[in-house]
Amino acid sequence: MDSPAPLNASPADMPPRSPALPEPASAAQQGFIRHTAHSPEVVAVSPGRVNLIGEHTDYNAGLCLPIALTQVTAAAASARTDEVVRIWSLDIDRHAAVALADVGEGKPRGWAGYVAGTVWAMREAGIPVGGMDVVISSEVPVGAGLSSSAAIEGAVAMAAFALFGGSIDPDDDARRTLALACQRAENEVVGAPTGGLDQTTSLLARPGHALELDFRDGGVHHTPFDIAAHGLEVLVIDTRAHHSLADGQYGKRRAECEEAARLLGVETLREASQDQVEGLTDGVLRRRARHVVSEIARVEAAVAALEREDFAELGRLFDSSHASLRDDYEVSCPELDVACEAARGAGALGARMTGGGFGGSAIALIETSAREAVEAAVRSAFAEAGLGEPNLFVASPGAGARVVLTTAEPQ
Ligand code: GLA
């Protein structure tokens, strides 16, 4: 990884905007100087993600295949000598000051929980962190199912780790510890009962690679993802239908999976076979479990398809994943279905919702030469269905969380 650029410590000679810095990092750096009259000691960034396949499998000890986005959230930060986390969010123009002693289950409520909760969870994990001033700026759209929460958590974790004596370029083991702390913040402080997909991706991703994640044994395998060389790309269709993980439906699905596993006498649905699942008498639980078991098999098939460069098969797997999430898991919505159908109709090799569902984003595997046609088809299908304008962009596999500026010497 490149060494981060040094900062000028004095606010009097403000460091110039570096063209090499991601935009949110420059914004957070400048915002920090505005709000505190000092330069930040460190600026870290952490990406959003799209999950290529393997949805609602992480909390079932299953498999996922995400890529990080190049879009990031930045945290500019300096250590404080007290136990207070002061936070400014440039995106929502809000400020909060939270004593670490007051952080815990369900508190602080709202957006400050992502930041203060991460610092608290790191300390709970035995990482020596303390109070800090943090300015957040993000280019990952919120509520789009692209993991904006984990991007905030990852940026704060990397910044805090660097500030309090950890490495500015932690190894994968340290990154896993940070990812777990981020997940704990999300689960306990924010109150969203998510698995570890988002945080693991944000902390551990490598540019040009997808991550094969195995949530049974914690396995992380970096697999090259260079579909551009084959004239292909992943088009993200952010439907702008707002999605939230803390609103009950996500937790309900998770509880249904646990109940199905209990009835089948297995620890997690990862241990269940398709035949066993079909024997469940409760129709809802049967369909939920069927999705999970079949989706885990689809991740294995997708990895194999990628290895043999069979992109037509990868597209078919996208399609069947979407059908399973729509019909068996029931986490799609009209916007996501319209997006996928329109993309397929205009020649996409396959399309599926990505992330938690109930709104958010879909992805389509397309030929680069078909991009204009697919985009036009999606836009006109949205207009015809009376839906708002979607936000479309091409995803390229970006890097995981990293420190981009520091006053400290590299360790
Ligand atoms: C959200 C959660 C993840 C994962 C996905 C669904 O993104 O944060 O843990 O469960 O939904 O695959």
Side-chain angles (χ1 to χ4, degrees):
M1 190 178 290
D2 294 342
S3 292
L7 262 183
N8 295 337
S10 156
D13 42 43
M14 282 199 343
R17 275 171 176 261
S18 157
L21 277 187
E23 172 57 33
S26 304
Q29 177 196 23
Q30 302 296 325
F32 192 97
I33 293 166
R34 257 196 332 275
H35 285 297
T36 70
H38 296 282
S39 288
E41 289 172 60
V42 63
V43 182
V45 298
S46 193
R49 60 102 191 89
V50 288
N51 192 14
L52 297 174
I53 197 158
E55 221 64 84
H56 289 277
T57 50
D58 57 351
Y59 53 82
N60 289 296
L63 303 171
C64 305
L65 188 67
I67 56 171
L69 295 171
T70 49
Q71 286 89 339
V72 295
T73 295
S78 286
R80 294 174 58 85
T81 50
D82 59 15
E83 298 281 287
V84 174
V85 180
R86 292 199 304 170
I87 317 158
W88 290 263
S89 167
L90 302 184
D91 309 305
I92 53 174
D93 195 19
R94 298 272 295 278
H95 170 61
V98 184
L100 278 171
D102 293 337
V103 182
E105 204 174 316
K107 57 184 191 164
R109 299 183 81 81
W111 67 278
Y114 295 102
V115 178
T118 297
V119 180
W120 168 84
M122 287 172 75
R123 180 181 270 186
E124 291 281 301
I127 303 168
V129 288
M132 52 198 270
D133 286 340
V134 196
V135 173
I136 303 287
S137 175
S138 183
E139 61 186 351
V140 182
V142 172
L146 301 173
S147 193
S148 59
S149 317
I152 296 178
E153 293 152 2
V156 170
M158 285 296 282
F161 195 65
L163 277 180
F164 291 94
S167 165
I168 56 163
D169 187 13
D171 62 17
D172 276 7
D173 280 347
R175 284 170 182 268
R176 276 169 214 245
T177 306
L178 295 179
L180 285 173
C182 292
Q183 189 189 346
R184 184 163 179 201
E186 178 106 25
N187 293 167
E188 290 183 33
V189 178
V190 177
T194 64
L197 162 67
D198 305 348
Q199 294 81 8
T200 311
T201 309
S202 206
L203 267 302
L204 280 121
R206 293 187 187 160
H209 289 73
L211 289 162
E212 288 172 43
L213 301 178
D214 185 334
F215 285 94
R216 178 160 62 186
D217 61 10
V220 177
H221 181 72
H222 300 272
T223 193
F225 187 70
D226 183 18
I227 60 172
H230 300 269
L232 298 171
E233 57 195 27
V234 171
L235 180 70
V236 178
I237 306 161
D238 169 7
T239 65
R240 291 199 163 114
H242 196 81
H243 113 133
S244 162
L245 295 174
D247 74 354
Q249 283 297 328
Y250 183 95
K252 194 162 173 242
R253 294 297 180 285
R254 188 170 178 155
E256 287 164 347
C257 290
E258 283 161 12
E259 176 63 0
R262 194 186 65 77
L263 289 170
L264 292 172
V266 291
E267 204 173 315
T268 66
L269 287 180
R270 178 69 181 279
E271 314 303 326
S273 69
Q274 199 72 61
D275 282 353
Q276 276 177 301
V277 159
E278 294 307 327
L280 283 165
T281 49
D282 181 295
V284 171
L285 296 185
R286 185 168 63 242
R287 284 186 286 117
R288 303 296 188 250
R290 182 192 295 147
H291 164 71
V292 173
V293 173
S294 64
E295 183 78 353
I296 291 170
R298 278 187 289 272
V299 177
E300 284 171 337
V303 169
L306 266 181
E307 263 164 26
R308 51 173 207 277
E309 300 180 343
D310 184 349
F311 298 106
E313 172 65 4
L314 185 63
R316 282 191 290 274
L317 290 162
F318 275 27
D319 289 347
S320 44
S321 171
H322 187 78
S324 177
L325 287 155
R326 182 192 59 210
D327 303 336
D328 283 341
Y329 217 63
E330 295 182 279
V331 291
S332 189
C333 64
E335 290 85 349
L336 290 167
D337 294 343
V338 166
C340 292
E341 275 156 36
R344 273 181 220 126
L349 282 74
R352 58 180 294 276
M353 53 156 277
T354 188
F358 309 109
S361 298
I363 51 172
L365 180 63
I366 63 170
E367 282 168 6
T368 303
S369 57
R371 191 196 305 165
E372 267 181 38
V374 174
E375 287 190 353
V378 169
R379 287 189 198 288
S380 75
F382 268 61
E384 263 169 47
L387 304 171
E389 279 258 311
N391 175 30
L392 306 179
F393 65 93
V394 172
S396 12
R402 59 213 180 266
V403 170
V404 292
L405 280 175
T406 180
T407 51
E409 290 299 313
Q411 293 161 29

